[in-house]
Amino acid sequence: MAGHGDKMRGKGKSTIVWLLMGMLVLGLGGFGVTNFSGGTADIGSVGGVEISAQDYARTLRAEMQEFSARTGRQISAAEAKTIGVDQAALARLYTAAALEAEANRLGVSVGDQAVAGQITGIAAFRGLNGQFDRAIYADALRREGMREAEFEHDLRMDMARLILQDAALAGVSAPQPVVAQTQGWLLETRDIHWRELTAEDLPTPVATPDETTLQAWHKANADRFTAPEIRQITYVWLTPEMLEGEVEVDEQALRDLYQDRIEEFQQPERRMVERLVFPTMAAAEEAKARIDSGEVTFEQLAAERGLSLADIDLGEVARADLGSAGEAVFALEEPGVAGPASSDLGPALFSMNAILEPLDIPFEQARDDLRLEAAVDRARRQIEERAGEFADLLAGGAALEDMAQDTPMKLGRIDWSQGAEADPNGIDAYPEFRERAAQLTEKDFPELFETEDGGVFAMRLDKIEPPALIPFEDVRDRVAEDWSRNEGHRLLLALAEELRVQAEAAAEPEIEPAPAAATAPASQALGAAATGAANATGGNAPATARPAPDLGTPATNLHRGGFINGVPQDVVVQAFEIAEEGATEVVDAENRVFLITLDKIHPADTAGDEAAQIRDGISARLADSLRQDVFDYFARALQVQGGVTLNQTAVDAVNAQVQ
């Protein structure tokens, strides 16, 4: 193997090292570090370590593939450049080059023995006997176009970079005060009261709007009353179901199909059974006695022995499946425990949980379903055989109307718009049609497309009707409903704000109540007497005499990120944003209005295993984030120190070639 003193050309991302040195590269890959490989033209360098165009092309393709895997769609080189994938590839290469340059400057390296250990540990280089095979090693490198010295240099530099990485990050850890503060924030709990305001809480019903108001609302909210773009499409299609009635199916073939799938039609009585095996019959009898006395359940017995329900579940079984225990289990007329009885694993108790009636469907009863299935399958094959003929006709200029006359395909027309509810029996129920319909233009010639169920279709765009405001007369009821809903919501928010002020005033008796005119609706909603009544009897009543406001429903020991059944999550989120105990806030969530009062803040309980696990998780995440930042600063400093060159012409050339 090559010695580590050779003066080697800097390298870009090495395919063979990247694929075969998975564990080591994974350790570096978390920080964007990659390997290098040979090449001729250079796109740049760091501190004398050069990066080849071949390295950049390979890394760019890898970044594009990674992006496609994450998003589930393929991207072109032009799109990759637009979203910055090319910059990510360059960043990986320049970071790796900077680390290699620094390792060379410091003389950081590893010996031949360490490199040999890495190579012999790679599974791709092992023979049938599981041992390192030098011939396989040489052949693998030859197929990748690499010399052994290059590959071994790559491995050596990978390990040197890892040494630098570990040295730079060895002292980085999460600050414990930050960990403690974050843990306290996460584990804090609160007691609150919450109340939803509804139309019944309004002092007066929402007014009925006049025509002028509705017409103004219609114009001001035109986007709510605009018809979507409509695409008028002519199509021809053919599905297996359309041909099913014309397909002849041999009677004997149906009987053979019935026999091949006899288990779907003929099954003996079955039962859902769990089995618990014991070492001796005496132990099984003792366990059965404990169950009969009510001391334990069958599931508790299993738990005592460290077994889960999955460990003891036999699923659906017939009498014959249980051997000699079948008689005892099938003697039960309702769910219960049978045994002890012998099993192939020893004495056992059997818990029978459900009785499944026998299945007995004769051929005559199953015939229609079998014929339909067979006919549809045969029709699917017929369509597949003729698809080429249909495609050729369309390519030759046949109109869709001609296709409907000359082939079994059916002609149809549809006014289609995105987001519209599909007809379950229509062509728009097929996702393949909807996808093509959205992309179709008036310049497109009809071509044949397939559906997932084996059908085919072709389409033509006749006309596009752009989005248009629906006339007021056609949507008057919708406008009135929309206005009333919006007005009711506005009034509820106003009432909620009054109630919030009222509740905070009640929480602090020294606060002078607001004038009667301003608080009357809120007072009525809270069930309190109007302030004006108190004035009429000789002045304001003492603050302590005011009735307590209705705070609603209590929720105690509420966790951050917890939930209240039937209440939007924003209510819980807002409850943890209230700063002071006793404060009340208004929450507008999912077109519903709530009042939240914070009763008590409970500091986090940091004792116990769960709290410790959360603390460890916080510490690990913070430390990872800090290490990433430190490594980024370290890599940038190395690039500044070593000096960076970039051949933009070479980069552009690679971008133009990579597809």
Side-chain angles (χ1 to χ4, degrees):
M1 296 181 184
H4 61 272
D6 294 346
K7 175 65 176 177
M8 296 294 300
R9 174 187 178 88
K11 298 175 178 64
K13 186 172 183 181
S14 168
T15 300
I16 190 70
V17 175
W18 188 251
L19 293 177
L20 302 181
M21 287 295 294
M23 293 301 294
L24 179 59
V25 174
L26 181 61
L28 295 169
F31 296 105
V33 179
T34 60
N35 296 303
F36 284 70
S37 70
T40 54
D42 295 330
I43 65 166
S45 65
V46 179
V49 176
E50 298 167 342
I51 306 170
S52 73
Q54 180 184 359
D55 305 333
Y56 173 56
R58 187 180 297 114
T59 306
L60 179 57
R61 290 191 182 96
E63 290 286 344
M64 292 170 60
Q65 292 170 0
E66 182 180 351
F67 181 88
S68 297
R70 291 198 310 267
T71 60
R73 65 183 184 89
Q74 295 294 324
I75 61 172
S76 64
E79 186 178 359
K81 182 175 176 61
T82 301
I83 60 180
V85 174
D86 60 329
Q87 296 301 311
L90 288 172
R92 282 183 177 270
L93 291 171
Y94 275 89
T95 298
L99 287 172
E100 182 171 344
E102 180 67 3
N104 291 337
R105 187 184 71 84
L106 297 175
V108 176
S109 186
V110 294
D112 289 345
Q113 185 175 358
V115 175
Q118 291 290 344
I119 292 174
T120 56
I122 296 174
F125 298 153
R126 294 173 184 168
L128 296 177
N129 60 0
Q131 302 298 315
F132 173 74
D133 189 315
R134 187 173 185 83
I136 295 177
Y137 169 60
D139 183 61
L141 294 186
R142 185 167 52 255
R143 290 197 304 270
E144 291 296 328
M146 294 187 69
R147 295 182 294 110
E148 291 185 18
E150 289 179 316
F151 180 70
E152 291 162 14
H153 172 81
D154 288 342
L155 290 184
R156 199 183 309 278
M157 292 314 304
D158 275 338
M159 300 169 75
R161 294 186 193 102
L162 187 58
I163 292 172
L164 285 180
Q165 172 185 304
D166 291 343
L169 305 178
V172 179
S173 61
Q176 289 309 303
V178 177
V179 173
Q181 184 176 8
T182 305
Q183 181 191 33
W185 181 83
L186 280 174
L187 297 181
E188 171 191 298
T189 61
R190 296 190 171 196
D191 297 342
I192 67 168
H193 276 78
W194 64 272
R195 175 185 175 188
E196 182 176 6
L197 300 182
T198 63
E200 288 74 18
D201 294 309
L202 293 173
T204 58
V206 177
T208 301
D210 56 28
E211 291 299 298
T212 302
T213 300
L214 291 180
Q215 291 177 3
W217 187 259
H218 175 250
K219 293 179 181 178
N221 299 277
D223 59 313
R224 304 185 194 179
F225 310 108
T226 296
E229 175 187 273
I230 295 177
R231 292 173 160 247
Q232 297 179 358
I233 297 174
T234 298
Y235 63 90
V236 288
W237 65 325
L238 185 62
T239 67
E241 286 75 14
M242 293 179 183
L243 297 178
E244 172 267 323
E246 304 173 10
V247 173
E248 295 184 4
V249 180
D250 181 74
E251 182 76 8
Q252 186 58 46
L254 292 180
R255 291 186 179 276
D256 293 342
L257 182 61
Y258 177 82
Q259 291 299 325
D260 290 341
R261 295 163 50 182
I262 192 65
E263 292 183 355
E264 298 180 23
F265 308 106
Q266 301 287 334
Q267 290 187 10
E269 178 183 330
R270 292 150 296 139
R271 303 201 168 188
M272 301 291 292
V273 178
E274 296 164 353
R275 178 182 63 189
L276 191 57
V277 180
F278 293 86
T280 64
M281 182 62 73
E285 291 173 347
E286 179 184 354
K288 182 62 162 59
R290 293 176 65 194
I291 293 175
D292 292 342
S293 67
E295 178 185 345
V296 295
T297 64
F298 189 85
E299 290 74 16
Q300 289 171 338
L301 273 177
E304 287 180 2
R305 304 179 62 186
L307 300 173
S308 66
L309 293 180
D311 297 327
I312 61 177
D313 185 25
L314 297 181
E316 299 178 12
V317 294
R319 182 192 296 262
D321 297 329
L322 296 174
S324 59
E327 181 177 355
V329 173
F330 277 74
L332 295 173
E333 297 182 355
E334 59 183 19
V337 177
S342 298
S343 74
D344 52 358
L345 298 179
L349 295 179
F350 297 84
S351 175
M352 191 273 289
N353 302 312
I355 298 175
L356 305 178
E357 296 298 328
L359 191 63
D360 184 13
I361 301 176
F363 170 76
E364 290 72 17
Q365 184 177 343
R367 183 186 181 283
D368 289 344
D369 290 339
L370 288 172
R371 189 228 167 261
L372 176 62
E373 182 178 338
V376 168
D377 183 64
R378 184 165 297 181
R380 185 180 296 111
R381 292 198 299 271
Q382 289 183 1
I383 294 175
E384 182 180 357
E385 291 171 357
R386 298 195 63 182
E389 172 193 343
F390 300 156
D392 289 342
L393 288 172
L394 290 170
L400 298 184
E401 290 77 7
D402 297 333
M403 295 291 294
Q405 291 182 0
D406 301 337
T407 74
M409 301 186 78
K410 308 298 182 184
L411 184 70
R413 291 181 175 83
I414 185 173
D415 291 342
W416 181 82
S417 60
Q418 283 188 320
E421 184 176 355
D423 178 359
N425 298 316
I427 192 171
D428 55 330
Y430 287 96
E432 297 88 354
F433 173 85
R434 297 194 300 271
E435 178 183 354
R436 300 293 179 179
Q439 302 171 358
L440 194 62
T441 71
E442 294 179 344
K443 296 180 180 180
D444 292 336
F445 291 100
E447 57 180 307
L448 199 69
F449 300 107
E450 297 181 357
T451 59
E452 186 177 0
D453 65 354
V456 292
F457 68 93
M459 59 200 325
R460 179 185 69 224
L461 179 62
D462 298 324
K463 182 181 178 182
I464 295 179
E465 294 184 1
L469 180 64
I470 305 173
F472 172 76
E473 294 75 15
D474 296 342
V475 289
R476 184 194 180 284
D477 291 344
R478 280 176 52 192
V479 174
E481 181 183 352
D482 190 69
W483 183 92
S484 297
R485 183 169 54 250
N486 184 80
E487 180 67 9
H489 191 72
R490 184 188 68 81
L491 293 175
L492 285 176
L493 287 173
L495 175 60
E497 184 60 28
E498 292 184 22
L499 293 177
R500 185 191 67 78
V501 174
Q502 193 86 344
E504 292 189 347
E508 300 184 28
E510 70 276 5
I511 296 180
E512 194 70 22
T519 59
S523 299
Q524 294 174 26
L526 289 168
T531 308
N535 293 337
T537 59
N540 293 332
T544 55
R546 289 200 305 268
D550 178 12
L551 299 179
T553 304
T556 58
N557 291 320
L558 189 63
H559 291 268
R560 190 182 301 275
F563 68 94
I564 301 173
N565 190 31
V567 174
Q569 192 63 27
D570 281 349
V571 171
V572 177
V573 172
Q574 186 63 39
F576 278 85
E577 293 181 0
I578 301 176
E580 298 180 0
E581 294 179 356
T584 300
E585 294 292 343
V586 177
V587 178
D588 182 2
E590 299 179 7
N591 291 320
R592 298 163 66 183
V593 178
F594 295 84
L595 283 173
I596 308 173
T597 300
L598 175 60
D599 300 326
K600 185 70 176 177
I601 299 176
H602 300 289
D605 181 5
T606 57
D609 293 340
E610 183 177 357
Q613 291 175 1
I614 292 175
R615 183 176 60 250
D616 292 343
I618 294 170
S619 181
R621 286 194 294 272
L622 286 175
D624 286 344
S625 178
L626 288 172
R627 291 188 187 102
Q628 179 67 66
D629 290 342
V630 169
F631 186 83
D632 287 344
Y633 296 143
F634 177 59
R636 292 176 188 175
L638 292 181
Q639 292 178 33
V640 172
Q641 173 183 298
V644 175
T645 64
L646 174 65
N647 184 345
Q648 188 62 51
T649 301
V651 171
D652 293 340
V654 173
N655 290 339
Q657 294 173 3
V658 172
Q659 299 297 329

